[in-house]
Amino acid sequence: LLYEQHGEPAAVVQLKDLEVPKLGDSDVHVKMLAAPINPADINMIQGTYPLLSPLPAVGGNEGVGEVLEVGRRVAALKPGDWVIPADAGLGTWRTRAVFPEEVLLKVPSDIPVLCAATLSVNPCTAFRVLADFESLAPGDSVIQNAANSGVGQAVIQIARASGIKTINVVRDRPDLSKLVERLMALGADHVVTEEMLRKPEMKDIFKSIPRPRLALNCVGGKSTTDMLRQLQPKGTMVTYGGMAKQPVMVPVSAFIFRDVRLRGFWMTQWRKDHAQDQGRVAGMMDALCQLIRRGQLTAPACTEVPLQDYRAALEASMKPFVSSKQILLL
């Protein structure tokens, strides 16, 4: 799926037949199996993301493929192995590709294909934001908004597996009770709407669990300010997204009297910073794959779409209140 200019995805993305390039000595011929449509993919096509691929570009930053053939200098991969992108910007929305070996990460092929296809962005982001900013112990709590997003669903499950409680904020919607039920089934301890954040009843939650030391923000605007008020003194809020396209507003009192910390996180930057630290990357992937094998981490709610129906999938991924991730089957 190729785009030659930036613009609205359904208008600029086209399905084209291209020749598969010749296999070089350090290359890997990959048959792509499945690739999701993430908000960052949409923003890259629109031209609004901080990382843009040179045009013409193939869409997609995430997905899983099977190795068909390897160049004679490739030692770490063999036909039949499953691989995912080691970094953003790979262009995963295609059936076949020849990639240099170093842009791929091997993943076990005994995990479900949808888990592998959605492994490299959201679960990694969830894993890092839970691990890198506060040293959380079993019984501690975390509050997050956009709790039904891909990252949100992964945070609930990874926290649950570590004995950490989650308070999950979602927007009010027509089928709210269904969504609450789904997040509780994943292991959420509390699910509240943005409106409930402002109500005195929020205090009741903290009779049974401690106030959170960590807040995870993917929205911005008023709901983020309301979420910040729930943090413990000296707590940390990590912003990894801005779905509302509004700034984060913080009362001066939160800094002076509660000494809260505001931090940011971008998975793409983390990968750049740790490009030489393969042990740390492998450790994270290994921990996530073990959670998947134990049934403690599942793929986000997905809608599987054949490649030729890509336009419908692009449009569906941009609708408000989307609780299901569109996955292109390649």
Side-chain angles (χ1 to χ4, degrees):
L1 289 177
L2 205 67
Y3 57 100
E4 291 171 346
Q5 64 190 70
H6 294 125
E8 276 318 293
V12 298
V13 173
Q14 293 171 316
L15 187 55
K16 290 213 167 156
D17 279 326
L18 302 172
E19 288 284 306
V20 176
K22 215 162 108 341
L23 189 74
D25 288 350
S26 305
D27 289 341
V28 181
H29 183 184
V30 177
K31 171 184 181 241
M32 292 302 297
L33 302 173
I37 299 176
N38 288 321
D41 304 329
I42 298 291
N43 296 151
M44 281 175 81
I45 297 164
Q46 290 166 332
T48 60
Y49 202 63
L51 175 87
L52 297 177
S53 301
L55 299 175
V58 177
N61 288 290
E62 193 179 33
V64 63
E66 182 185 335
V67 174
L68 294 178
E69 196 185 350
V70 298
R72 60 190 181 86
R73 287 215 194 107
V74 174
L77 295 170
K78 61 183 188 307
D81 284 347
W82 277 14
V83 288
I84 63 173
D87 212 340
L90 198 60
T92 52
W93 299 349
R94 50 175 131 202
T95 53
R96 299 279 175 100
V98 170
F99 295 122
E101 179 186 17
E102 71 266 14
V103 304
L104 300 170
L105 279 179
K106 183 178 167 182
V107 291
S109 53
D110 64 347
I111 61 174
V113 71
L114 293 183
C115 287
T118 55
L119 184 60
S120 65
V121 178
N122 294 333
C124 290
T125 298
F127 187 91
R128 297 263 57 102
V129 294
L130 284 170
D132 293 354
F133 296 92
E134 288 280 346
S135 44
L136 298 169
D140 283 344
S141 79
V142 172
I143 188 167
Q144 63 165 347
N145 55 24
N148 58 314
S149 66
V151 174
Q153 292 175 59
V155 162
I156 290 170
Q157 295 174 84
I158 296 168
R160 178 66 181 267
S162 318
I164 293 158
K165 311 284 186 195
T166 57
I167 302 157
N168 300 280
V169 185
V170 296
R171 286 182 298 173
D172 200 0
R173 63 195 64 212
D175 57 349
L176 181 65
S177 58
K178 256 208 221 62
L179 176 60
V180 171
E181 211 172 287
R182 204 157 59 78
L183 296 183
M184 297 299 269
L186 287 180
D189 294 282
H190 297 276
V191 183
V192 299
T193 62
E194 293 181 338
E195 290 71 31
M196 282 164 72
L197 269 183
R198 295 176 202 128
K199 295 197 168 140
E201 294 88 279
M202 267 306 284
K203 286 196 188 72
D204 296 344
I205 287 178
F206 303 118
K207 286 175 182 162
S208 57
I209 62 172
R211 280 195 179 269
R213 295 196 2 227
L214 181 66
L216 305 174
N217 168 44
C218 162
V219 179
K222 190 162 172 36
S223 87
T224 301
T225 312
D226 291 332
M227 184 170 73
L228 187 73
R229 290 201 170 95
Q230 313 301 330
L231 262 190
Q232 272 190 37
K234 295 194 187 310
T236 304
M237 183 168 81
V238 181
T239 293
Y240 67 90
M243 302 302 269
K245 297 186 168 51
Q246 291 166 351
V248 170
M249 308 285 273
V250 182
V252 171
S253 59
F255 284 124
I256 299 173
F257 303 119
R258 290 177 39 242
D259 190 17
V260 297
R261 294 175 183 82
L262 265 60
R263 300 286 305 274
F265 181 80
W266 187 28
M267 194 65 219
T268 302
Q269 188 61 48
W270 188 92
R271 288 192 193 285
K272 279 199 185 78
D273 295 345
H274 295 84
Q276 302 313 312
D277 188 356
Q278 283 314 304
R280 193 128 181 242
V281 176
M284 169 174 69
M285 300 315 280
D286 193 41
L288 290 169
C289 289
Q290 283 187 34
L291 287 172
I292 291 167
R293 283 198 199 96
R294 291 202 293 260
Q296 292 176 307
L297 179 62
T298 56
C302 291
T303 304
E304 299 172 47
V305 184
L307 182 62
Q308 57 270 27
D309 297 341
Y310 72 94
R311 273 211 174 86
L314 286 168
E315 280 165 0
S317 71
M318 295 172 71
K319 289 202 172 94
F321 302 121
V322 179
S323 282
S324 183
K325 195 174 279 295
Q326 304 290 310
I327 305 265
L328 297 168
L329 298 181
L330 306 161

